[in-house]
Amino acid sequence: MLTAFFWLLALFMAVLTLSVRPMGAWLAPLASGQVPARLAEFDRALLRLMGVRDTAMDWREYARAVLLFSLLGALLLYVLQRVQGWLPLNPGQRGAVTADSAFNTAVSFVSNTNWQGYAGEASMSHLTQMLGLTVQNFLSAATGIAVACVLMRGFARRETSNLGNFWADLTRISVYLLAPLSLLLALVLASQGVVQSWAATLPVATLAGGEQTLTLGPVASQEAIKLLGTNGGGFFNANSAHPFENPNELSNFLQMLAIFLIPAGLCHAFGRVVGDRRQGWALYGAMALLFVLAASALALAEAQGNPLLNALSADASVGSLEGKELRFGAAGSSLFAAVTTAASCGAVNAMHDSLTPLGGMLAMWLMQLGEVVFGGVGSGLYGMLVFAVLAVFVAGLMVGRTPEYLGKKIEAFEMKMVALVILLSPALVLLGSALAVVSQAGLAGLANGGAHGFSEVLYAFSSAANNNGSAFAGLSANTPFYNGLLGAAMWLGRFGVIVPVLALAGALAAKKTLPPSAGAMPTHGGLFIGLLSGAVLMVGALTYLPALALGPMAEHLALWAGR
C-alpha cells in the first residue's frame, strides 16, 4: 500500500508542478486587473452587457461589494430551495427544503464551504442543483480568487487606494478562467463515465434478476466546478466515492489535480504580479513541503490498518480499507483525503469517519492550519500570504529590525489584521465545539461517545470555520442546532477573514515600496520557506494540540491498547 501511495504521490506532485507555470501565466493578467490586448474589445462588450463600470474601488468599497453580493446570493439560494417544489426541472417532485437546512446550505455554498447535511439526489431538484448550487460554485470561487488578486495588488502597487473593481474582477474570473476550465473538465469527466443527463432515474436489470432504479442528473457539469472551485458539494450523497461522480482511477487522479490546479497556479501568478517569480515559487515550495509531509503521515497511519482487524488475520499489507472504495484502495483514498482537506474542498472519495484515528487527525489538522496548504481558490494564497507577513514580523523581532515583506514595512495596523485572520478561525472551531459538547442538542447528534464522538464534533467545526465542507459522517448535523451554529461558523469563517484581508491589502497599497537593502531578509530562498512553514505549523500546533489530544490522539491510544 505504501509503495503504491508514494508512487502516486510522486506522479501527482510532478504533474502539479508542471502545471504551475502555465496556470500562473493564465492567472497573472486577471490578478493584475489587466486584459490581454486581443481580448480588450470583447472585454468592453462583456462589461457593458453585464452593466459593470470598471471604476476604481478602495478596500472599503471592495469589501462592501463582496458582502452585499454574498448576502444577496445567500438569500436567493435560500428562497430557491424553499420553493423548488413549485418550479420546473423537478423530475423527482422534491418538496421544499426545511428552513434551517435551506439556511445552512445557502450559507455553505455562498461561503465556498459546500457543507451538506442532506442527500443531494434525494433533496434537491435539478433546477436547484444547476441554478442554485452550481452557480454559487462559480461565484463563490470567483469571489475568493478576486480577494487574492486584491492582496497581490496591495503588495505590487504603491501609494494608491485603487485596488480594482469587484464586479469587473468577478466577471472576468468567471468568464475567462472558471467557465472554460470547467467546460473542458466536464467533457473529460463525461468521457470517463461521469453522468450528464436530464433524466431523473434509469431502471436497470440486476444480476439477481430483479430491477434497480439508478438516480441520474446533470452531474459532470457540477462535478467540474465543484473541484476546480474547491467547493466540494457532491451531486450524490456519497460524493466522489459514487461511481457516477468518480468512476475510475484516471478520473480520481484528475479530480485531485483539479482541486490543486488553481491554488498552485496562483502562487506563480503572485510572483509575476510583484515582479519577482522567485517569491511565488517560495510560497509554492512551502505549500508543497507541508502537503507532502502531511499526506505521507496520513498514508502511514492508514497503512497500519486497524489492530482489532489485524488480530483477526486481516491482510494488513493493503492498509485500512474500512469506508474506502476498492477501486481506489487505501493509497488513492489517503491521497484524496489529504488533497481535499489541504484545499478548502469538501469532496471525498472515502468516508473520513472511517479513517484511522491518526489519519482522521491529520485530515482534520490540515483544515485547522487555516486551509493554507494550497487551500481554496484564492483563500489558500491570501491565507499563506498572511502567514508570510507573520513570519517576517517574527524574524524582524529576532534581529531587531522593522519587518518588511516585498519592500512594504509591516507595522501595527498590518499586524492587527494578521492577528484577526489567524485567530478568528480557531476561536470559531474551539468555541463552537465546546458549545456542542455541553448542550443537549449538540450531544443528540452524536452516533458515538467518548473520544471519537468528540472528534466528530471537532471535525465538523474545523470543516465549517475553515470553509472545507467534508465531515465525519457519524455526526447527525441536519438539525436546527447544528444547521444554525455551523452556518454561523461558515459565514464568519469566510467573511470575517475576507474583510481584514482586504483591509491589509488597502494598507499595503497605500505604502511606499522600499528598495532592497543589505539588511533585508530574502524571502525567496530555503531559509524563508522553512520559516514560513514553521510559522504555519507553530500556530496550528499551539492552537489545537489540547483539543486533538482529547479526540483522535486519545482514540488512537485506546485502540492500540485494545480497549
Side-chain angles (χ1 to χ4, degrees), residues 19 22-31 39 42 46 138 141-146 148-149 152 168-185 224-225 228-229 258 261-263 265-266 269 377-378:
S19 74
M23 277 304 304
W26 189 345
L27 287 158
L30 296 173
L39 293 176
F42 172 79
L46 175 65
F138 277 94
T143 299
I145 296 172
C149 292
M152 291 190 221
D169 289 338
L170 186 77
T171 303
R172 288 167 177 157
I173 292 166
S174 299
V175 173
Y176 300 145
L177 176 68
L178 296 177
L181 272 178
S182 298
L183 177 60
L184 177 62
L185 182 59
I225 187 58
L228 288 165
L261 190 64
I262 295 175
L266 280 169
V377 285

Side-chain angles (χ1 to χ4, degrees), residues 34-48:
Q34 301 169 351
V35 176
R38 64 183 181 279
L39 293 176
E41 188 173 340
F42 172 79
D43 185 68
R44 285 192 292 270
L46 175 65
L47 295 184
R48 276 199 306 272

